[in-house]
Amino acid sequence: MNPFAIAGIQMKVSAVASNVEMMKLKLDITMSLYPWVDMVVFSELCGYGPLTHNAQEIPGDFEREMQAAAKKHGVWLLPGSIFEKSEDKIYNTATVINPQGEIVTRYRKMFPFYPYEVGVTPGSNFCVFDVPGIAKFGVSICYDMWFPETVRTLAVMGAEVILHPTMTGTIDRDIELSIVRAMAAVNQCYFFDVNGLESGGNGRSLVCGPDGRVIYQAEGNEEIFPLELNINRVRRSRELGVLRLGQPLKSFRDHIGDFNIYQKDTQLPYLNSLGPLIKPTRLDNLAKLKMKEHEYEPPENPTGYKGFGA
């Protein structure tokens, strides 16, 4: 058994004031209550909230404060994400910090929540990192998991635990919970999904094991949920199958060359027919034009004359 304890922190997030001091306090409380925890994960955009005008430069003060906090407690830390200001672009970026306070890696969200997360540039690199002697971890942010290729790629890169800060306050949270379970099962991995509250989401953070079963689900209030994971469960699942049944990663490996839609220059006429990625409106322009066109159409037989033999 390779035990490793991760604590998720589901906390209230303000959109108009910094949440950094509260994050540090929550981390202090977590490590005081649960000194056996090895890693702490916060929710997406927890530090400064969901408004892009609060974007920070990276490296910067936020990372330095989080590095000091990780070193103080000797804990791995993924402090959610923040909007990163880089030249003339804004990214949604998560930083992974080790117990020595060193930055191990950074990840830029690959799928901003278009067409709603406007002004945010997608990242282009997948993110995995090693916790020595324990496991390989992957980082995914919120809407990324709606694209199964992202989590599957992390699994193919060897990730056994997916860390997934999210910020969901919308009515599709139930759908997301089902996706968390599905991604854990089909990729035979732990999936650690941490949502925020108020401006940071509607809570209901979720942790699933490599068979897709729920290990813990938070409610809609502030919570600290420390869980000890047995990484060997992932390895046994990948060796012997989900519940000793299907072996999806091995099956994917054996058929990986058959997915022609991913080949460069492949024509995708159906996807191209779906139209632009824009917010829905009350009545799209095409529908309006169709209605006008119908108003001016003459009847098929305006005289009512039916001809001979009618």
Side-chain angles (χ1 to χ4, degrees):
M1 177 177 178
N2 293 321
F4 190 79
I6 305 177
I9 297 183
Q10 179 175 284
M11 60 173 270
K12 296 175 183 177
V13 175
S14 171
V16 297
S18 170
N19 303 288
V20 175
E21 291 303 315
M22 183 56 70
M23 290 176 68
K24 293 181 337 189
L25 177 59
K26 292 287 188 183
L27 180 59
D28 287 344
I29 293 170
T30 300
M31 299 312 298
S32 177
L33 290 172
Y34 312 110
W36 44 271
V37 161
D38 301 295
M39 175 182 284
V40 176
V41 181
F42 286 86
S43 59
E44 179 188 16
L45 300 176
C46 189
Y48 299 98
L51 303 180
T52 55
H53 74 251
N54 291 325
Q56 309 286 313
E57 292 185 352
I58 293 180
D61 291 341
F62 177 73
E63 280 193 339
R64 284 190 287 270
E65 291 190 70
M66 293 297 108
Q67 287 177 266
K71 185 175 181 180
K72 171 184 174 181
H73 293 291
V75 68
W76 287 86
L77 180 59
L78 198 170
S81 69
I82 64 171
F83 281 130
E84 173 197 359
K85 181 167 51 180
S86 178
E87 298 178 347
D88 60 342
K89 295 179 179 179
I90 293 176
Y91 299 92
N92 187 336
T93 303
T95 303
V96 177
I97 304 166
N98 71 16
Q100 291 73 47
E102 302 164 336
I103 294 172
V104 173
T105 188
R106 298 184 181 98
Y107 171 67
R108 289 171 169 171
K109 184 177 181 180
M110 299 186 77
F111 285 91
F113 189 36
Y114 294 155
Y116 297 92
E117 200 173 351
V118 293
V120 180
T121 300
S124 57
N125 296 315
F126 293 94
C127 178
V128 295
F129 66 95
D130 287 303
V131 173
I134 299 297
K136 190 179 290 289
F137 289 70
V139 181
S140 169
I141 299 177
C142 200
Y143 198 44
D144 285 337
M145 73 170 178
W146 284 68
F147 305 89
E149 297 84 356
T150 61
V151 183
R152 175 53 53 82
T153 299
L154 295 175
V156 170
M157 294 171 73
E160 296 163 298
V161 182
I162 306 298
L163 305 175
H164 188 254
T166 192
M167 187 196 73
T168 301
T170 45
I171 62 174
D172 58 351
R173 184 59 179 157
D174 278 334
I175 301 172
E176 291 204 326
L177 297 178
S178 69
I179 295 174
V180 171
R181 293 193 65 183
M183 289 298 98
V186 301
N187 293 291
Q188 301 171 274
C189 64
Y190 283 103
F191 205 102
F192 215 97
D193 168 270
V194 183
N195 199 14
L197 296 168
E198 296 188 352
S199 295
N202 52 20
R204 301 170 71 194
S205 299
L206 184 64
V207 181
C208 291
D211 52 9
R213 291 177 175 174
V214 174
I215 297 174
Y216 183 75
Q217 182 172 343
E219 299 299 330
N221 50 278
E222 288 200 309
E223 290 194 44
I224 299 169
F225 45 99
L227 299 165
E228 186 174 87
L229 309 185
N230 177 5
I231 306 302
N232 281 339
R233 283 188 58 197
V234 175
R235 294 160 191 169
R236 293 286 286 174
S237 174
R238 291 178 175 180
E239 177 187 358
L240 301 174
V242 177
L243 303 177
R244 303 301 184 267
L245 296 168
Q247 300 180 32
L249 280 184
K250 292 180 184 178
S251 294
F252 176 77
R253 174 200 65 198
D254 294 345
H255 292 273
I256 198 166
D258 297 338
F259 300 101
N260 295 329
I261 62 169
Y262 297 113
Q263 302 303 314
K264 187 178 180 180
D265 299 325
T266 297
Q267 297 300 308
L268 304 170
Y270 174 71
L271 291 184
N272 292 333
S273 74
L274 298 179
L277 182 56
I278 57 175
K279 290 183 182 180
T281 57
R282 293 192 180 196
L283 190 65
D284 64 61
N285 291 332
L286 179 59
K288 289 180 181 178
L289 293 172
K290 287 289 186 184
M291 290 174 67
K292 285 186 178 181
E293 181 183 41
H294 182 70
E295 289 173 5
Y296 289 108
E297 282 181 355
E300 292 183 3
N301 191 353
T303 64
Y305 177 65
K306 298 182 180 179
F308 294 106

